[in-house]
């Protein structure tokens, strides 16, 4: 019965995730071991890292470094190497 109540609460919260509250939801779900909700929150954070509200609240993760590491590990790999043509204006 308690698991059912937890699931209902997670569903309710999941429907109300915004860029303004996603960091708080990620922290709460991490601390309360709400794995499904945490996964959704972390995906929302990654998809919205460009958003001002998300970026300004990232400092709130300082007390949970393992959560910050989990976010970084979920970020898709992007090659940092630039094509040679972009370096054509550089002096050698």
């Amino acid at each position: 019965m308690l698991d059912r109540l937890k699931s209902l609460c997670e569903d309710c919260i999941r429907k109300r995730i915004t860029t303004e509250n996603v960091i708080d939801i990620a922290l709460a779900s991490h601390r309360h071991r709400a794995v499904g909700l945490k996964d959704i929150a972390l995906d929302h954070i990654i998809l919205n890292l460009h958003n001002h509200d998300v970026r300004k609240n990232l400092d709130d993760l300082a007390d949970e470094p393992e959560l910050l590491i989990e976010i970084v590990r979920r970020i898709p790999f992007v090659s940092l190497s630039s094509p040679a043509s972009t370096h054509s204006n550089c002096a050698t």
Side-chain angles (χ1 to χ4, degrees):
M1 186 148 146
L2 190 56
D3 287 337
R4 175 78 175 131
L5 179 59
K6 183 178 179 181
S7 178
L8 290 171
C9 289
E10 286 181 19
D11 286 341
C12 184
I13 294 168
R14 186 176 294 135
K15 293 175 184 174
R16 290 170 174 77
I17 292 178
T18 67
T19 55
E20 294 174 353
N21 67 17
V22 69
I23 299 292
D24 290 332
I25 290 172
L27 284 166
S29 61
H30 176 71
R31 291 175 181 154
H32 296 285
R33 295 174 182 83
V35 177
L37 183 58
K38 181 172 96 170
D39 286 340
I40 289 170
L42 296 184
D43 288 344
H44 192 85
I45 290 168
I46 292 165
L47 289 172
N48 292 285
L49 277 174
H50 63 280
N51 183 280
H52 174 73
D53 291 325
V54 172
R55 285 195 331 257
K56 75 175 182 179
N57 292 325
L58 284 174
D59 288 342
D60 295 344
L61 297 173
D63 292 335
E64 298 287 350
E66 64 277 353
L67 189 56
L68 187 55
I69 290 169
E70 192 171 342
I71 291 169
V72 170
R73 286 185 176 152
R74 286 180 182 224
I75 296 173
F77 174 76
V78 177
S79 176
L80 297 178
S81 62
S82 301
S85 62
T86 60
H87 296 292
S88 61
N89 294 333
C90 296
T92 54

